[in-house]
């Protein structure tokens, strides 16, 4: 009920994208196609404050990643490859294709932005414009890990521990995990709609959700780094227009130089900090729309 309230005007769909894997997505609006992808420990509901405006300009596909939300949560492979950003990106590509969208733009946050990075790198012909929220490239962040970053992003190093330790601890109280992780950021829990928090907690309590979340991070600490090193070695770059936005009160702003890091990987990139913390779409929806909407509509191109 909470999800339907938050995504009023959109319809829920469930689409097969791989053997035994279906993605849940909210679909609606009018105009060119725009894919929205969430981060950890959240779901597609993160976009509820910007969906009403975006739906006036775009046909929206608001997806739950494999392992998250109401999408399928398969067991991880020994090398975590079935949760690699390459596989998760392929899921999203197939979702969009089955909905009739051969080309589309992407607006993505946190873990979803890492998947979107891989989607744009592996399937450049499908992605028209790309907006990434509050991340630097995964390889850069691991290579530049400092004590400050490790303390702030402790979950990066907790979730990659061998199963079932982190899964068991999360499953003991999924709601507490959501509140503690999200409430531990710069803004606390004040910015969040209670219905959205309830939706994140509901989905993390679903069977297999804690495992899917952990597998996402295990893949990022292993196979995903190998894929990014291959990109570097081969000189692969993002050619489509890229906008990177991050919270000036957040860890990415404090510990990294996100614009410079993306300039190393992209030919046409711009970006700046917004007046908020990590959860941009919920903390500063108006600022996000003011920055992203003109870019997605091609103004100034």
């Amino acid at each position: 009920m909470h999800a339907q309230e938050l995504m009023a005007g959109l319809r829920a769909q469930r689409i097969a994208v791989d053997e035994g894997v279906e993605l849940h997505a909210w679909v609606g609006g009018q105009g060119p196609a725009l894919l929205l992808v969430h981060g950890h420990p959240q779901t597609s509901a993160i976009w509820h404050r910007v969906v009403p405006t975006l739906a006036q300009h775009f046909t929206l596909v608001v997806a739950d990643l494999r392992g998250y939300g109401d999408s399928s949560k398969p067991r991880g492979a020994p090398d975590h490859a079935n949760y690699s950003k390459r596989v998760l990106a392929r899921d999203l590509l197939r979702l969009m294709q089955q909905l009739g969208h051969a080309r589309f733009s992407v607006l993505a946050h946190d873990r979803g932005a890492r998947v979107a990075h891989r989607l744009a790198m592996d399937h450049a012909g499908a992605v028209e414009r790309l907006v990434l929220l509050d991340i630097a490239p995964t390889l850069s962040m691991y290579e530049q890990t400092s004590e400050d970053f490790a303390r702030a992003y402790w979950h990066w190093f907790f979730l990659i521990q061998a199963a079932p330790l982190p899964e068991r601890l999360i499953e003991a109280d999924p709601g507490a995990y959501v509140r503690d992780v999200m409430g531990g950021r710069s803004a606390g829990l004040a910015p969040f709609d209670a219905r959205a928090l309830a939706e994140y907690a509901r989905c993390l309590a679903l069977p297999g959700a804690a495992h899917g979340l952990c597998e996402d991070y295990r893949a990022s600490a292993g196979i995903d780094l190998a894929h990014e090193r291959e990109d570097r070695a081969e000189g692969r770059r993002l050619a489509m227009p890229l906008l990177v936005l991050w919270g000036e009160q957040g860890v990415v702003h404090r510990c990294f130089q996100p614009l410079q890091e993306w300039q190393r990987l992209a030919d046409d990139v711009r970006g700046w900090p917004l007046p908020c913390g990590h959860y941009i779409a919920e903390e500063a929806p108006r600022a996000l729309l003011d920055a992203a909407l003109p870019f997605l509509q091609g103004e100034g191109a």
Side-chain angles (χ1 to χ4, degrees):
M1 285 296 295
H2 289 314
Q4 188 63 69
E5 291 174 6
L6 293 168
M7 296 307 214
L10 304 185
R11 63 186 183 278
Q13 293 197 224
R14 190 172 179 87
I15 294 176
V17 295
D18 200 358
E19 184 176 356
V21 176
E22 297 179 339
L23 293 192
H24 171 268
W26 297 95
V27 180
Q30 57 186 359
L34 176 62
L35 171 65
L36 276 62
V37 197
H38 66 90
H40 154 277
Q42 299 171 288
T43 73
S44 51
I46 73 165
W47 303 108
H48 68 98
R49 287 179 174 151
V50 296
V51 156
T53 298
L54 292 175
Q56 297 173 26
H57 304 277
F58 299 98
T59 298
L60 301 181
V61 179
V62 193
D64 286 336
L65 290 166
R66 174 189 297 225
Y68 288 84
D70 287 308
S71 291
S72 297
K73 303 165 181 65
R75 290 294 303 176
D79 64 353
H80 318 298
N82 63 329
Y83 278 89
S84 70
K85 303 308 157 289
R86 175 157 287 160
V87 168
L88 271 59
R90 188 185 65 197
D91 286 348
L92 295 176
L93 179 68
R94 290 175 174 174
L95 171 70
M96 296 301 284
Q97 289 173 337
Q98 293 196 49
L99 290 170
H101 306 303
R103 282 180 57 78
F104 49 90
S105 293
V106 185
L107 170 58
H109 175 249
D110 188 70
R111 309 308 295 177
R114 302 189 190 285
V115 179
H117 169 204
R118 179 50 52 195
L119 174 63
M121 192 67 82
D122 287 358
H123 307 283
V127 179
E128 294 186 3
R129 288 176 167 263
L130 181 63
V131 183
L132 303 179
L133 302 183
D134 212 59
I135 68 164
T138 306
L139 179 56
S140 299
M141 292 178 71
Y142 268 116
E143 287 180 336
Q144 299 172 38
T145 291
S146 62
E147 180 182 354
D148 185 10
F149 173 69
R151 288 179 179 275
Y153 271 42
W154 57 269
H155 59 286
W156 273 39
F157 309 98
F158 164 65
L159 296 171
I160 65 175
Q161 301 306 308
L165 174 61
E167 286 95 332
R168 186 165 58 236
L169 296 177
I170 294 169
E171 288 167 352
D173 194 338
Y177 180 83
V178 167
R179 293 188 299 274
D180 290 347
V181 169
M182 295 178 61
R185 303 275 190 162
S186 60
L189 290 174
F192 303 105
D193 189 303
R195 297 170 299 174
L197 288 173
E199 181 66 5
Y200 307 146
R202 177 189 72 80
C203 289
L204 189 53
L206 294 173
H211 178 67
L213 185 152
C214 292
E215 285 296 293
D216 167 20
Y217 281 81
R218 291 171 183 138
S220 276
I223 191 169
D224 291 344
L225 299 182
H227 292 158
E228 289 195 31
R229 290 189 179 104
E230 290 171 5
D231 292 339
R232 281 190 188 179
E234 296 172 9
R236 300 178 68 202
R237 297 174 63 81
L238 298 172
M240 73 287 296
L242 168 62
L243 174 64
V244 292
L245 303 168
W246 62 95
E248 66 182 1
Q249 299 157 19
V251 175
V252 169
H253 181 76
R254 188 170 77 239
C255 293
F256 303 97
Q257 296 180 311
L259 182 57
Q260 285 107 320
E261 293 299 332
W262 287 109
Q263 287 171 335
R264 295 176 183 177
L265 302 181
D267 296 329
D268 179 3
V269 57
R270 69 217 71 178
W272 54 89
L274 297 180
C276 59
H278 177 63
Y279 300 102
I280 294 172
E282 290 168 287
E283 293 182 46
R286 187 68 256 169
L288 173 57
L289 288 167
D290 288 345
L293 191 53
F295 171 81
L296 289 167
Q297 292 177 313
E299 295 182 17

